[in-house]
Amino acid sequence: QKEVEQDPGPLSVPEGAIVSLNCTYSNSAFQYFMWYRQYSRKGPELLMYTYSSGNKEDGRFTAQVDKSSKYISLFIRDSQPSDSATYLCAMSLGGYNKLIFGAGTRLAVHP
Amino acid sequence: DARVTQTPRHKVTEMGQEVTMRCQPILGHNTVFWYRQTMMQGLELLAYFRNRAPLDDSGMPKDRFSAEMPDATLATLKIQPSEPRDSAVYFCASGARTGPGDQPQHFGDGTRLSIL
C-alpha cells in the first residue's frame, strides 16, 4: 500500500462546475500538506500549502485537511478550461523536507 | 518572479553515455531536491541537499547516479553509464526555512531525458 493514495482519473467536468480532488494517506506524522498543479511538459506549480488540519482558501481554490480521517481535499469553484491539468497532492513531515506525492489526478474542464 | 532553472530541457543520448543535468535553485533557498517522474512510478525523490551538504540520497541508484552541489547556485545530477530505464523527466526543486516556518518547495520545468 502506498503512503499517499490519489485517484488518477481522468476527471472530466463542464466549465463552471465545482471540482473536488482528494487524497488519503497512511502516515499520521505528516504535518504539511500541499497541492501542486502540473501542466503538460511543465514542472509542478505550488497551488496551496497548509499546516496541520483545517481549511485554507485562495480565490477559487479551497484546501481542506482532516487529520483524524487522514484525508485531504482540494475544491475548485467555477472551474475554467485553463484549470485542465494534473493535480498532485503532496505531504511531508516538514515543508522543508522530502515530499511524498500522490499519483496525480488528471482534470479536463470542457467549455 | 523567482524560478528554479534547469538545463538542458531535453536530452537524447545513447546507452552508456554520461548525462549531466544542472539546476540553479531560487536565490536564498538552501535546500535542493532532485526528483524523477515516470508514468509508472510518478514523482520519486532521488536525493536532497541542505546548505550544499547531502542529506538523503536513498532514492538514488548509487552505482550509476551521483548528485553534487559545487556551490550555492548550482546543483548537478549525473548518470554514468546511462541505461534506457533511466529515461524519465528529472525535476529539481528548492525550498527554504524562514523564521518559525518552512517555505514549500518550488520546482523547475525539468529535464526530459531519453536514453536510446
Side-chain angles (χ1 to χ4, degrees):
Chain A
Q1 183 187 4
K2 292 186 176 181
E3 274 192 290
V4 180
E5 298 280 358
Q6 183 177 11
D7 187 337
L11 182 61
S12 182
V13 302
E15 183 175 356
I18 296 175
V19 176
S20 172
L21 303 165
N22 311 293
C23 288
T24 59
Y25 61 95
S26 57
N27 188 348
S28 57
F30 285 138
Q31 298 270 29
Y32 291 78
F33 303 90
M34 283 140 273
W35 286 95
Y36 285 85
R37 177 176 62 195
Q38 187 174 23
Y39 291 115
S40 180
R41 296 185 174 265
K42 302 289 279 185
E45 170 195 9
L46 183 69
L47 268 182
M48 302 285 285
Y49 171 53
T50 55
Y51 171 72
S52 194
S53 284
N55 294 359
K56 186 174 184 178
E57 189 172 318
D58 184 1
R60 296 184 296 111
F61 298 90
T62 300
Q64 289 184 352
V65 175
D66 182 349
K67 291 192 75 178
S68 62
S69 302
K70 296 182 193 157
Y71 187 88
I72 69 170
S73 301
L74 177 71
F75 297 95
I76 307 174
R77 289 183 299 280
D78 187 25
S79 56
Q80 303 295 310
S82 58
D83 295 328
S84 299
T86 296
Y87 290 80
L88 298 146
C89 65
M91 43 202 80
S92 74
L93 302 177
Y96 200 45
N97 295 303
K98 59 183 181 181
L99 296 177
I100 307 300
F101 281 88
T105 300
R106 275 198 300 138
L107 171 67
V109 181
H110 51 86
Chain B
D1 195 19
R3 297 179 60 84
V4 174
T5 302
Q6 290 187 249
T7 56
R9 290 295 315 278
H10 304 273
K11 177 75 175 178
V12 180
T13 192
E14 293 187 345
M15 182 173 65
Q17 296 298 305
E18 178 177 298
V19 174
T20 298
M21 291 168 273
R22 294 178 174 80
C23 169
Q24 181 177 2
I26 292 172
L27 189 64
H29 281 192
N30 62 347
T31 310
V32 174
F33 304 81
W34 283 104
Y35 291 88
R36 176 171 60 187
Q37 187 175 42
T38 62
M39 290 292 291
M40 292 298 294
Q41 299 297 327
L43 262 171
E44 302 174 287
L45 180 71
L46 296 175
Y48 74 105
F49 293 75
R50 185 168 300 159
N51 297 323
R52 297 176 54 200
L55 273 194
D56 185 346
D57 62 1
S58 58
M60 205 164 67
K62 305 286 192 308
D63 57 338
R64 299 182 301 107
F65 284 60
S66 62
E68 294 181 343
M69 218 172 154
D71 63 59
T73 64
L74 177 65
T76 62
L77 180 66
K78 290 186 181 180
I79 309 175
Q80 170 62 26
S82 57
E83 297 181 3
R85 59 182 167 146
D86 300 329
S87 297
V89 184
Y90 291 81
F91 288 104
C92 175
S94 69
R97 167 163 282 172
T98 57
D102 295 339
Q103 288 297 306
Q105 297 171 32
H106 293 266
F107 283 74
D109 282 334
T111 294
R112 187 171 296 270
L113 178 64
S114 295
I115 308 297
L116 306 176

